[in-house]
Amino acid sequence: MKKKNVFRYAVVPVIALALSATAMAQDVAAVSADTATAVLDSASTVMFDEGALELDDTAAVDALADGGVYGQLKSKFMDGGVFFMSLVAIVLILGLACCIERIVYLCMSEIDAKRFMGELEAKLNAEGVDAAKELCRNTRGPVASICYQGLLRVGSSLDIVERSVTSYASVQLGNMEKGCSWITLFIAMAPSLGFLGTVIGMVMSFDQIELAGDISPTIVASGMKVALITTIFGIITALVLQLFYNYVLSKIDHLTAQMEESAITLMDILKVYTNK
């Protein structure tokens, strides 16, 4: 599967989905805010006896007035500082796009290697090398690619075939790991941006203390709030990307094991075929 097609069908929809979800969330938040206002206005005209409003109803009204989960997240996002929080959000979106692109590519590259090698052996023994090559060309994934490279050198010594298969396996491994460096970069950037926001928040706190000439909890709280929120969001972003990255590594390890096992099987098949 070509990388351009993977980017078109995996990464672009993710970015479009993120943008549409953001717009939808804003619309929902606006509707929720209007609904909350209407509810509170109508509730103010009703006379309640003391203690008549249950705790759950109070919590529901408060949640409605605050705009729900989206309102809470938006509030925290604004409290953390739009600039640094936007950078963390961009890192999260780009990192997820790279992870999903790799996952789609690796899933499309994975086949039933044992079944394929059985079909390859049957084709080679029944119809010859050309039929086996055709099977490899029509099968996706690195396993079929390294088998095709080995079949191209049928007639040469087995050492030459083995070196060719080993060299091309390294090329396929590089293709599977392509883009992983960007994921590790985003994993490192997310907490770093959070810590940078922490430092900026501390500087803001000291500036406000200097201007006021007094150490007051109210003065210090605003800067400390920026510091803590940016750090929290940066760490959460890094954790999410790390989970996806570990899954990508597990898929790469699985495909690498498939290639190694298939290369050994191919050499055994070719040894038997050349001795006929």
Side-chain angles (χ1 to χ4, degrees):
M1 185 176 184
K2 295 183 179 179
K3 184 171 177 118
K4 186 180 294 185
N5 293 333
V6 173
F7 183 85
R8 180 186 303 170
Y9 296 113
V11 179
V12 174
V14 171
I15 298 176
L17 180 61
L19 295 176
S20 62
T22 303
M24 184 181 297
Q26 291 175 350
D27 295 337
V28 172
V31 173
S32 300
D34 295 338
T35 305
T37 303
V39 170
L40 293 177
D41 291 340
S42 60
S44 62
T45 61
V46 180
M47 300 299 294
F48 291 96
D49 294 335
E50 185 177 357
L53 189 61
E54 299 294 336
L55 182 60
D56 293 339
D57 296 334
T58 304
V61 173
D62 292 339
L64 188 61
D66 292 337
V69 177
Y70 174 77
Q72 294 290 335
L73 290 177
K74 184 177 180 180
S75 176
K76 295 299 181 183
F77 188 90
M78 299 300 292
D79 291 340
V82 176
F83 179 73
F84 286 103
M85 296 298 289
S86 298
L87 292 179
V88 175
I90 291 172
V91 167
L92 176 61
I93 293 173
L94 293 178
L96 287 177
C98 291
C99 289
I100 293 175
E101 185 272 335
R102 281 293 88 190
I103 291 173
V104 172
Y105 177 86
L106 295 173
C107 289
M108 294 298 295
S109 299
E110 189 174 2
I111 61 172
D112 189 347
K114 292 183 179 180
R115 179 180 178 183
F116 171 75
M117 295 307 297
E119 294 177 355
L120 178 65
E121 183 177 9
K123 283 278 187 181
L124 183 63
N125 293 328
E127 303 178 27
V129 177
D130 292 336
K133 289 180 182 178
E134 185 67 21
L135 176 63
C136 293
R137 282 194 294 265
N138 294 331
T139 305
R140 66 177 185 270
V143 173
S145 298
I146 64 173
C147 290
Y148 182 78
Q149 293 297 318
L151 293 173
L152 286 176
R153 289 157 181 81
V154 171
S156 304
S157 65
L158 292 178
D159 292 337
I160 295 176
V161 176
E162 184 177 2
R163 285 197 296 269
S164 176
V165 170
T166 303
S167 299
Y168 200 72
S170 300
V171 175
Q172 291 296 319
L173 182 60
N175 290 333
M176 290 188 293
E177 294 177 346
K178 188 179 298 181
C180 289
S181 59
W182 287 105
I183 301 176
T184 56
L185 174 64
F186 294 138
I187 292 174
M189 283 181 62
S192 298
L193 289 173
F195 294 146
L196 181 60
T198 300
V199 175
I200 298 299
M202 296 297 294
V203 173
M204 291 171 54
S205 297
F206 285 113
D207 286 341
Q208 293 173 357
I209 293 172
E210 183 180 4
L211 292 176
D214 184 22
I215 299 178
S216 173
T218 304
I219 297 176
V220 179
S222 60
M224 292 298 296
K225 191 174 185 180
V226 174
L228 295 176
I229 291 177
T230 54
T231 303
I232 290 172
F233 274 84
I235 293 175
I236 291 175
T237 299
L239 290 175
V240 171
L241 294 180
Q242 186 67 53
L243 290 175
F244 279 92
Y245 180 62
N246 285 354
Y247 180 75
V248 170
L249 292 182
S250 67
K251 299 292 288 186
I252 293 176
D253 292 339
H254 178 66
L255 287 172
T256 302
Q258 278 191 343
M259 287 193 298
E260 293 176 352
E261 184 179 357
S262 300
I264 296 172
T265 304
L266 177 65
M267 297 307 301
D268 294 337
I269 294 173
L270 292 180
K271 183 177 180 180
V272 174
Y273 180 78
T274 54
N275 289 334
K276 287 184 179 180

